[in-house]
Amino acid sequence: MSEKYEASTNDWVANKSRFFAAWGLPTAIMLVTWLMQLTPLLTGILWMGALSWMGVACLRNAHQCGRIHCFFSGPYFLLSAVLALATGMQWIQILSFNGLGLFLLIGTLLVCVLPEVFWGRYKSPREK
């Protein structure tokens, strides 16, 4: 079995059901809570949970298969989870959930695309 095949079979991003569970469902939760315009505290808690779930899934995926962008998106989502809680607790007055959502949209595109453009899709087995 080739190394590329082994990496892609362990890659949660490449598996539709795992992708939905790890990133699709939390994203849907965040979108629904934003549309429902819940209280800032409840929105912050729900977004923190969803972003933490996504960040841990990315770090797990990076460790499991060596997916390059997961090494960047994992910490990015965990940092965003802290920002979501701080926004919900109103510790950060200059950031709204609209602004955080825009930050997440643009940042996610950047951290998921650029690393793989520069370094490829998977970390080589020698580097693990």
Side-chain angles (χ1 to χ4, degrees):
M1 188 176 342
S2 74
E3 292 170 4
K4 188 165 193 153
Y5 177 76
E6 287 178 24
S8 66
T9 58
N10 293 328
D11 185 1
W12 282 14
V13 176
N15 181 298
K16 289 180 184 175
S17 60
R18 288 181 179 164
F19 180 86
F20 178 75
W23 297 282
L25 188 58
T27 300
I29 290 169
M30 291 171 58
L31 195 61
V32 167
T33 59
W34 176 71
L35 290 172
M36 291 177 62
Q37 296 185 357
L38 302 174
T39 65
L41 180 59
L42 186 55
T43 302
I45 290 169
L46 290 170
W47 281 36
M48 180 200 62
L51 289 163
S52 296
W53 181 266
M54 293 164 64
V56 169
C58 287
L59 293 176
R60 182 247 170 239
N61 201 49
H63 176 73
Q64 183 73 23
C65 72
R67 185 80 186 230
I68 292 295
H69 83 252
C70 288
F71 287 97
F72 297 90
S73 58
Y76 173 74
F77 286 134
L78 293 174
L79 172 65
S80 297
V82 172
L83 288 174
L85 181 62
T87 302
M89 299 287 288
Q90 298 179 346
W91 294 337
I92 300 175
Q93 299 294 324
I94 60 169
L95 187 63
S96 67
F97 283 102
N98 290 339
L100 183 57
L102 185 61
F103 170 77
L104 285 166
L105 182 64
I106 294 168
T108 299
L109 291 172
L110 292 175
V111 299
C112 289
V113 174
L114 291 181
E116 292 186 1
V117 167
F118 292 113
W119 297 296
R121 184 166 288 170
Y122 298 101
K123 193 173 179 183
S124 73
R126 296 184 311 272
E127 297 174 327
K128 284 187 179 178

